[in-house]
Amino acid sequence: MIENINEILKKNQLSVTDSRRKILEMFQHTSGALAHADIEKQSGTLFDRVTIYRTLQTFVEKGIIHTIPTIDNSVKYALCKDACQAGHHHDNHVHFMCDECGTTYCLNNISIPQVQLPEGFRSTQTDVVVSGICKNCND
Amino acid sequence: MIENINEILKKNQLSVTDSRRKILEMFQHTSGALAHADIEKQSGTLFDRVTIYRTLQTFVEKGIIHTIPTIDNSVKYALCKDACQAGHHHDNHVHFMCDECGTTYCLNNISIPQVQLPEGFRSTQTDVVVSGICKNCND
DNA sequence: ATGAGTTTGCAACTTTGTTGCAAAATAAAA
DNA sequence: TTTTATTTTGCAACAAAGTTGCAAACTCAT
């Protein structure tokens, strides 16, 4: 179910611009995660590289998207679900990265068991990165 | 307990060179993880930037060190324990990254509960990235 | 000690990300 | 609707991170 894009932008006190609408749309139309390069490729020469960087940065600050840790250390972003909309959130994510095709899937409906930390450590966020072969590449 | 550096290199069919010995030593002397920049800083002008890149790459290929996924998508490396020495390994890691000082801790003695994946997905490695405030910064 | 093979350092390059600033677009006010 | 204030964009220039080719230096086995 796709939320109204203009609503989301206004709710976050952001001016409604072409680039923001288009990029937000891309996230809503993908089940997985997007890298800066993916967005640049998909949008062609529509907007500047710098605009994409700044848009992603703004979205992260507003809590619309979040960055995903990856083993190959490429920077990927995914839409935040309602649960983590509050900007600075205490939240958990499970992501699956395919070793073969590189696609990143968000496995939001999987619960993470709490990790027991040593004395003196306080956790605000836990990310689980599962690597392997995805459904598509397995067939 | 520090394993003999020359032994490790020879076991992995690598020529014993200054840079490899020194860099491996750095990993053995730190409890956490190291970034390329850390190594460059610690070694001063001793060896070239490119050599460090290549050494790290070689170590990863041989399974001596592994990359760590981080939320800020900086590239960090840590020593592999005996458990994951077999090159292409099925292994789990828990790492803690301090939001304040950026230090990465390896929490190797914490067990990760198995994540239940959707049909068709096969996992080879699971990384848990816990973010928060570390012991040092908490005091 | 010598020679084959490996590794290093340099230089040049690519890719990725950042910053300042004028022009353009958006939002708010008249 | 027009005007004005504010925000955002694109350009250019830059900085940082990582890669590649190649000759010189080193390692290792004979």
Side-chain angles (χ1 to χ4, degrees):
Chain A
M1 180 194 81
I2 290 169
E3 233 189 302
N4 186 276
I5 287 175
N6 290 25
E7 292 284 312
I8 297 178
L9 293 175
K10 282 181 185 160
K11 189 162 60 187
N12 285 285
Q13 296 163 302
L14 294 174
S15 306
V16 176
T17 67
D18 279 359
S19 50
R20 286 178 181 162
R21 270 197 290 105
K22 194 80 197 294
I23 292 175
L24 192 43
E25 211 173 299
M26 286 184 200
F27 277 106
Q28 291 191 327
H29 284 36
T30 189
S31 59
L34 294 173
H36 178 276
D38 297 327
I39 295 168
E40 205 175 338
K41 215 173 292 169
Q42 273 189 54
S43 58
T45 70
L46 209 57
F47 9 82
D48 196 81
R49 221 161 50 84
V50 178
T51 303
I52 299 176
Y53 279 117
R54 290 200 264 229
T55 303
L56 289 170
Q57 218 170 280
T58 306
F59 283 180
V60 169
E61 274 160 19
K62 293 293 184 178
I64 299 171
I65 60 176
H66 63 274
T67 63
I68 294 178
T70 60
I71 7 161
D72 69 344
N73 285 287
S74 59
V75 186
K76 296 209 173 191
Y77 303 86
L79 268 187
C80 284
K81 300 297 170 199
D82 307 322
C84 66
Q85 209 137 79
H88 193 68
H89 48 279
H90 296 235
D91 206 8
N92 299 339
H93 302 276
V94 181
H95 296 285
F96 183 94
M97 265 203 69
C98 182
D99 291 332
E100 203 147 314
C101 65
T103 307
T104 302
Y105 301 83
C106 298
L107 308 177
N108 284 294
N109 35 4
I110 287 180
S111 67
I112 310 175
Q114 205 51 44
V115 171
Q116 179 90 31
L117 294 173
E119 275 285 316
F121 288 75
R122 261 186 316 132
S123 133
T124 56
Q125 181 174 341
T126 304
D127 282 271
V128 178
V129 186
V130 184
S131 314
I133 309 293
C134 76
K135 201 190 164 99
N136 269 355
C137 294
N138 241 338
D139 296 339
Chain B
M1 182 193 81
I2 289 170
E3 233 189 303
N4 186 278
I5 286 176
N6 290 23
E7 292 283 313
I8 298 178
L9 292 175
K10 281 180 185 161
K11 190 161 60 186
N12 286 284
Q13 295 163 302
L14 295 173
S15 305
V16 177
T17 66
D18 279 359
S19 49
R20 288 178 180 161
R21 270 198 289 107
K22 195 80 196 293
I23 292 176
L24 192 43
E25 210 172 302
M26 287 183 197
F27 277 106
Q28 291 190 328
H29 284 36
T30 187
S31 60
L34 294 173
H36 178 275
D38 298 326
I39 295 168
E40 205 174 339
K41 214 172 294 168
Q42 274 188 55
S43 57
T45 68
L46 208 57
F47 8 81
D48 196 81
R49 219 162 50 84
V50 178
T51 302
I52 300 175
Y53 280 118
R54 291 201 264 228
T55 303
L56 290 170
Q57 217 171 280
T58 306
F59 284 180
V60 169
E61 274 160 21
K62 293 293 184 178
I64 299 171
I65 60 177
H66 63 273
T67 63
I68 294 177
T70 60
I71 6 161
D72 70 344
N73 284 286
S74 60
V75 186
K76 297 210 174 189
Y77 303 85
L79 267 189
C80 286
K81 299 298 170 198
D82 306 321
C84 67
Q85 207 138 80
H88 193 68
H89 48 279
H90 296 234
D91 207 9
N92 299 337
H93 302 275
V94 180
H95 295 286
F96 184 94
M97 266 204 68
C98 182
D99 292 332
E100 203 146 314
C101 65
T103 307
T104 301
Y105 300 83
C106 298
L107 307 177
N108 284 295
N109 34 5
I110 288 180
S111 67
I112 310 173
Q114 205 51 42
V115 171
Q116 178 92 30
L117 294 173
E119 274 285 315
F121 287 74
R122 260 186 317 132
S123 131
T124 55
Q125 183 173 342
T126 304
D127 282 271
V128 178
V129 187
V130 184
S131 314
I133 309 294
C134 78
K135 201 190 163 101
N136 269 355
C137 294
N138 240 340
D139 295 338

